[in-house]
Structure formats: structure tokens, C-alpha cells
Amino acid sequence: MIEAFASLGPYVPLLMEGASTTLLLFVLTLPIGLLIALPFAFARNARLPVLRGVGHGFVLLFRGAPLLVILFLVYYGLPQVPGIRQSAIWFLLRDPFPVALVALSLNSAGFQTHIIAGALRNVPANEIEAARAAGFSRMQLLRFIIVPHAIRLGIRSFGNEAVFVLKGTAVVSFITVRDLMSAANQVYFRTFEPVPPLLVAALVYLVIVLAVSRIVRRVEVRLTPELRMARSR
């Protein structure tokens, strides 16, 4: 086994390149997914049935469809649509990395829409009414009451979604993106040793998951007075 791990030496740069690609996909997917999710989350909670239907349909589609199906539809399906190859967005679809980012972001947006909409619905109504009675404007109500409280309610679920996004990046190797799993498989094909590169990949994923969990926990404590008081005791 030691000799097997020693054989990884020449392939460390390849594994590092794959890890950096995975980390880049992970870091970009979450904010892009959040930007996509925000309008659909507000639509999901809107009073108009049409808007609620749009928000619900978005969640149903991108939260329910498997990530691999979304990835293949974007990579193989969109280029078949008439006019796509002549459009301004073709530069995004002709390379696998942007396609992977689009698919991951849409999938994450479906889950984030559900998280944000649920957090917004669970903001205590008495706090909103008290803020209105105190003369808060709509923007002040969002900034000081609704958004902070919704973040506190949804931060744990967002942390879970971040972990799912990280794990989901492993499927992008199916469209020739050289991520961490793709790099580990290439090392296996060259050395005929499957265990060492996969263990290295698992260790990298674990380190990132632990870092994400720690960040989420610190943000939750910072935003929650009860947790700050409990920690200071």
C-alpha cells in the first residue's frame, strides 16, 4: 500500500489541478445559484397564484430532476435547439466548464429557492408587525428584520446545500471537465491502482466539507444572540 501511494508522486500536479477545478466550481455555483433562486423564492411566496405557480414549477423542475439529467440536457440538448449555435450564449455552451457551471447552478438554485422561500415564510409575523408599527419602510423592514431573521433560519439548510453542491461536482467528469474525480480516475488508469487516488480525492472532499461546516457554524453563532450567549458562558 505504501508503494501504491508513493506511485502518486508524479501525478500530484494532476490531482491538484482537479482539486482546484472542483473548488472553483463549488465557489462559483453557490452565489450564481443564489442569484437565480432569489426572484423565484419571492415568486414562491407571492400572493398572485401565477407567480406562486412559476416559483413552484421552478423548484419542482430543478429540485426534482437528477443533476446528471440536467447536465446532459444542457450539454447535449441545448446545442440541438435551432439558433443556439448562432446566438450570443453559444460561447458559454461550446466549452464543458461553463456548461457544468450552468447545470450545477440551476440544480442548486432549485434547492436554494426552496430554502429561501421557507425561511422567509417562517419569519415571525409579530416582529414584522412591530417593525411596521414603529414606522419602518419596506426597505428597512427587509434589511433589518426579514433578511437577518431569514438568514438565521436558513443558514443550516444552506450549509447542507453547500455540501450537496460539492458532492455534485463529481458528475462533471462525464462531460470531460477535469475535476478532482476525473483526475483521480486518470491516475487510476495510468497506475492501475484505484485505491490511493480515490482516497486522496475523498480526503480533499472531506477537508472542504469540514471547512464549510465550520464556516456555517460560525456564521450561525454570529447571527444568533442565544448561541453567542451560550458560547460566552
Side-chain angles (χ1 to χ4, degrees), residues 91-227:
F91 79 98
L92 289 176
L93 301 176
R94 65 187 179 186
D95 295 321
F97 184 89
V99 170
L101 184 59
V102 169
L104 287 168
S105 299
L106 288 172
N107 180 257
S108 179
F111 286 91
Q112 291 192 56
T113 298
H114 187 70
I115 293 169
I116 296 169
L120 291 172
R121 283 197 301 270
N122 288 317
V123 174
N126 58 343
E127 292 189 13
I128 296 176
E129 292 301 324
R132 286 174 176 166
F136 278 48
S137 67
R138 187 173 182 84
M139 289 304 299
Q140 288 175 324
L141 186 62
L142 282 172
R143 180 180 175 183
F144 296 111
I145 304 297
I146 296 177
V147 171
H149 208 112
I151 292 175
R152 287 198 296 270
L153 291 172
I155 188 64
R156 289 191 182 182
S157 297
F158 183 81
N160 292 333
E161 169 57 15
V163 173
F164 291 144
V165 168
L166 175 65
K167 294 178 179 179
T169 59
V171 307
V172 302
S173 59
F174 284 101
I175 59 170
T176 70
V177 176
R178 186 179 288 181
D179 70 319
L180 182 57
M181 277 303 302
S182 175
N185 285 329
Q186 288 185 44
V187 174
Y188 161 49
F189 295 147
R190 297 177 187 180
T191 63
F192 300 102
E193 292 285 353
V195 175
L198 290 177
L199 284 178
V200 170
L203 181 61
V204 173
Y205 284 121
L206 179 61
V207 168
I208 300 175
V209 167
L210 291 176
V212 169
S213 300
R214 186 174 182 83
I215 292 171
V216 169
R217 179 61 179 171
R218 295 190 71 170
V219 171
E220 183 181 18
V221 170
R222 186 177 181 85
L223 294 177
T224 309
E226 296 83 359
L227 294 178

Side-chain angles (χ1 to χ4, degrees), residues 48-95:
L48 292 177
V50 174
L51 290 178
R52 288 202 307 272
V54 170
H56 180 72
F58 181 83
V59 171
L60 185 64
L61 176 61
F62 290 106
R63 185 167 170 252
L67 175 57
L68 190 59
V69 173
I70 298 173
L71 182 67
F72 283 167
L73 283 175
V74 176
Y75 188 64
Y76 295 112
L78 282 183
Q80 308 303 319
V81 177
I84 286 291
R85 293 177 183 269
Q86 292 76 37
S87 68
I89 66 170
W90 175 241
F91 79 98
L92 289 176
L93 301 176
R94 65 187 179 186
D95 295 321

Side-chain angles (χ1 to χ4, degrees), residues 33-55:
L34 178 62
L35 290 176
I36 297 172
L38 280 173
F40 289 102
F42 282 104
R44 186 72 182 86
N45 291 338
R47 295 181 179 179
L48 292 177
V50 174
L51 290 178
R52 288 202 307 272
V54 170

